[in-house]
Amino acid sequence: MVRILRKRNGRRLGLLVGAAALFLVTALLLPAGAVLPGSPSSFESGNDPSLGLGNMVHTGTNADWDTVQNEAAYQHLEDGDAVNTDDSFTPGQKQDTTCPAVEGHKNPPKDDFTDVASFTETNDSGGANDGDVYFYGATIRHAANGNASENIELKQGTSGLCPGSTDLLARTPGDKLLAIDYLGGGSAPEFHVLTWIASGTCFVGNNTAPCWGETVLELDPTEAEGGVNNATITALNNPIDGTQLVAGRFAEFGVNLTDSDIIPPGECEGISQIIWESRSSGSSFVSSTKDITIEDVNINNCGTVEVTKTNDDDSAPTGAVFTLYEGADTTGDEVGTCTVDAAGDCVNDDGTTTFPPSFVDLEPGTYTIDETTVPAGFVKDADLPDTFTVAAGESVELAYTNVKLEGALVINKNSTKGEGTDPVENAGAEFSVGGPDPSTDSFTVVDNGALDEDDTVGVVCVSALDLGDYTVNETAAPDGYGGAPLSEADQSVTVVDDTDCGENLPAAGATATFTNPPLSDIIVAFRDGGSGETSLTSIDCEGLGDSPDDLDADALTGWDDSVTHEDIAIDPSPRTITCEIVIDP
């Protein structure tokens, strides 16, 4: 994967770490070719047989600068030309300097960049060049320079910025310098690679480390190619800056960074900054650099993993933690962890990155991920732990769903006359159920006298509940039953996982039982025997318990007076009611 970190289109740039012009007296001449082997887009970074050397227009299905203008990995930078303030290395300083000094300078037109452009891609074909990273560069000069020379510093950036600079990264051991001489009028480019070292022998023998080391790698035509335009490029055929260019003003190259061992295969290494440097003359290592331009990039063969998570009940998945391990199981070395936020994005816990992605800078290979912290009330995705591979430059996207743990509770409604009999015949019982969070989970259940579609009487089952402790209360007795329940008014139950109102009924710990007595009515009535002379003085009943003592009396047809007592609750033992009737003599 290649991602441009910062674009500078339209800005005047400079401040490039100066590198010595690095060349050997004896050079390997590389004839320009059309396309580097394994180039994913077949990018024409060298001689195009049909259009000539060093042009910007593709042929057939191949890519060229005219086809990559809208690609994320393409970048174009403008550089001030023909001005006295063009950034340049301060003359006279040693090339082997960790942070070379920079000053404004007017460079010779043939060594003055007006524009630079770059494009990067990674081969993911699975073939012989799978994982190879390809880097293509182009420079436009103010004036023609047929035998152009330039250095391209490829910097890791792990040592931070140079003191006092806001752009220039300090040279770091392992940084590479790609030295290019476009000899033969641009038809025979030479490529050499040097490495910045912290200790050892320098290429310039009288210098001391840190410096560019004495080991120089020569690139062959399968690893690098390039050329300078040998004919005029019209403005119409110039997608980089849209101007007409005479022969010798445009130079381009392509390098397989993997085969060149600049980004070694199978390792996570990358380039975060490119320094473009023009040199004043041909293949002389000590020739001084002139114009410089800086470009921030992210070129690497590292993989990334992006993790997202959802809950199957659409609730916020906050709190889950994923751990990534090397290898095919969770016994491998731990790579790192990420924590899921409310949006479902797993954010890297090392503090260096934020979503996306969750894990970065991964070497190609096999990895295993697992959800090592599962939020309460959920079970992790059945696919976890999950083993997968990461290819060079690949971004792997992983998504998992947590399953909510749910259970059920049962309410038994009994009568003192027997379990589950009359209450189902006289519906109307209501129960209040308060959940783990009483402020949000309380609800009322009305006894329907059945367990799901079963015919079980006197039973209420409530399913799809969050796990945890609940409080159940009978708020209304069934019709024909009354008084306080003989069991406790509030009962506590615990809802556990894998219970429902079907085949997995809750056990005793998730069952509440309420028992009510049936209610009774009595009528005490008085009537004159026919003489017309007797009259009722009073009727007074005792032993009614919680029943009202003197409810309104309604005369019964044919009776003179009567007293009715309704909804008399019966205690567990038989209740005796005594009524005293006083008749006027």
Side-chain angles (χ1 to χ4, degrees):
M1 181 184 70
V2 177
R3 181 169 61 90
I4 297 296
L5 293 181
R6 178 169 51 181
K7 287 197 173 184
R8 301 184 177 205
N9 294 2
R11 289 184 55 190
R12 304 296 187 189
L13 298 176
L15 252 188
L16 280 236
V17 181
L22 305 178
F23 297 94
L24 299 178
V25 174
T26 302
L28 177 64
L29 296 181
L30 304 180
V35 175
L36 285 174
S39 168
S41 64
S42 297
F43 195 97
E44 296 172 356
S45 52
N47 182 31
D48 182 338
S50 62
L51 295 179
L53 184 65
N55 67 86
M56 305 185 195
V57 181
H58 75 288
T59 55
T61 59
N62 292 351
D64 210 324
W65 297 106
D66 63 332
T67 66
V68 298
Q69 296 294 304
N70 296 322
E71 297 290 338
Y74 168 79
Q75 187 161 225
H76 167 220
L77 298 88
E78 294 180 357
D79 186 275
D81 62 309
V83 295
N84 294 325
T85 57
D86 206 359
D87 289 327
S88 306
F89 290 124
T90 300
Q93 64 183 315
K94 291 184 177 180
Q95 302 287 8
D96 290 330
T97 304
T98 302
C99 288
V102 177
E103 65 178 22
H105 188 72
K106 185 174 182 179
N107 295 299
K110 66 183 184 66
D111 298 321
D112 187 6
F113 293 143
T114 65
D115 299 85
V116 298
S118 66
F119 176 64
T120 314
E121 60 183 349
T122 301
N123 186 310
D124 60 359
S125 65
N129 293 99
D130 186 54
D132 286 3
V133 181
Y134 293 79
F135 173 60
Y136 310 99
T139 56
I140 299 175
R141 300 181 185 234
H142 186 71
N145 188 340
N147 284 355
S149 299
E150 57 193 29
N151 297 339
I152 293 88
E153 284 196 55
L154 306 173
K155 310 181 77 171
Q156 303 165 84
T158 55
S159 296
L161 291 169
C162 287
S165 175
T166 59
D167 291 309
L168 186 61
L169 293 174
R171 289 168 177 162
T172 300
D175 285 356
K176 302 294 184 178
L177 181 69
L178 179 63
I180 307 175
D181 281 313
Y182 297 97
L183 302 181
S187 63
E190 297 178 3
F191 294 86
H192 297 87
V193 180
L194 286 86
T195 303
W196 187 260
I197 59 175
S199 61
T201 304
C202 301
F203 185 86
V204 178
N206 59 348
N207 287 347
T208 57
C211 62
W212 295 109
E214 65 174 344
T215 301
V216 178
L217 175 67
E218 300 179 3
L219 303 186
D220 64 40
T222 66
E223 299 167 334
E225 65 177 9
V228 175
N229 68 312
N230 59 2
T232 296
I233 298 176
T234 65
L236 182 64
N237 288 332
N238 177 1
I240 294 179
D241 71 356
T243 65
Q244 179 170 300
L245 304 176
V246 300
R249 286 191 60 193
F250 170 72
E252 66 175 340
F253 66 88
V255 179
N256 184 326
L257 298 178
T258 304
D259 284 356
S260 301
D261 209 36
I262 293 173
I263 298 182
E267 299 181 16
C268 178
E269 293 187 8
I271 302 166
S272 60
Q273 191 173 88
I274 298 174
I275 309 299
W276 301 81
E277 307 163 359
S278 68
R279 279 189 281 111
S280 61
S281 60
S283 55
S284 169
F285 170 74
V286 296
S287 59
S288 61
T289 54
K290 294 295 183 179
D291 197 6
I292 56 176
T293 308
I294 185 171
E295 177 183 6
D296 291 335
V297 295
N298 184 8
I299 303 172
N300 60 64
N301 61 351
C302 305
T304 63
V305 172
E306 179 181 314
V307 181
T308 57
K309 188 180 82 72
T310 56
N311 291 337
D312 67 347
D313 66 342
D314 295 327
S315 63
T318 307
V321 176
F322 286 84
T323 302
L324 186 66
Y325 303 90
E326 292 182 350
D329 54 46
T330 57
T331 63
D333 291 339
E334 181 179 317
V335 176
T337 60
C338 65
T339 300
V340 178
D341 62 17
D345 303 331
C346 204
V347 180
N348 196 315
D349 287 345
D350 65 7
T352 61
T353 60
T354 57
F355 179 85
S358 305
F359 302 99
V360 298
D361 296 338
L362 300 177
E363 293 184 0
T366 299
Y367 295 87
T368 298
I369 195 166
D370 195 14
E371 187 174 1
T372 48
T373 298
V374 182
F378 289 86
V379 63
K380 65 185 178 183
D381 196 304
D383 290 336
L384 292 167
D386 187 13
T387 299
F388 58 94
T389 59
V390 177
E394 182 181 15
S395 180
V396 178
E397 297 182 359
L398 304 174
Y400 303 102
T401 300
N402 280 7
V403 178
K404 183 180 180 181
L405 296 174
E406 295 181 335
L409 64 80
V410 166
I411 305 171
N412 288 327
K413 187 73 210 79
N414 294 337
S415 166
T416 55
K417 295 295 186 179
E419 295 184 356
T421 54
D422 290 341
V424 75
E425 302 297 336
N426 301 277
E430 296 185 9
F431 306 93
S432 175
V433 180
D437 183 359
S439 65
T440 58
D441 294 340
S442 183
F443 57 94
T444 299
V445 178
V446 178
D447 183 7
N448 61 3
L451 178 62
D452 281 351
E453 298 178 357
D454 202 351
D455 292 329
T456 305
V457 295
V459 178
V460 176
C461 184
V462 184
S463 61
L465 296 174
D466 292 341
L467 306 188
D469 295 330
Y470 288 77
T471 299
V472 184
N473 185 25
E474 184 179 19
T475 56
D479 295 341
Y481 295 79
L486 298 182
S487 52
E488 293 181 28
D490 293 331
Q491 295 191 39
S492 296
V493 297
T494 301
V495 174
V496 299
D497 182 35
D498 202 26
T499 56
D500 53 42
C501 294
E503 298 180 354
N504 303 308
L505 288 174
T511 301
T513 300
F514 296 90
T515 303
N516 291 131
L519 302 177
S520 300
D521 300 335
I522 65 171
I523 298 176
V524 180
F526 165 81
R527 184 171 64 184
D528 177 72
S531 67
E533 296 183 333
T534 59
S535 61
L536 176 67
T537 300
S538 66
I539 300 174
D540 185 17
C541 297
E542 297 179 353
L544 295 174
D546 295 332
S547 176
D549 192 21
D550 286 307
L551 299 176
D552 293 337
D554 295 324
L556 300 178
T557 301
W559 294 83
D560 296 327
D561 294 291
S562 65
V563 176
T564 301
H565 292 283
E566 298 177 337
D567 297 333
I568 302 172
I570 301 174
D571 293 326
S573 58
R575 170 177 286 184
T576 300
I577 299 173
T578 301
C579 294
E580 181 182 51
I581 304 174
V582 179
I583 301 175
D584 181 34

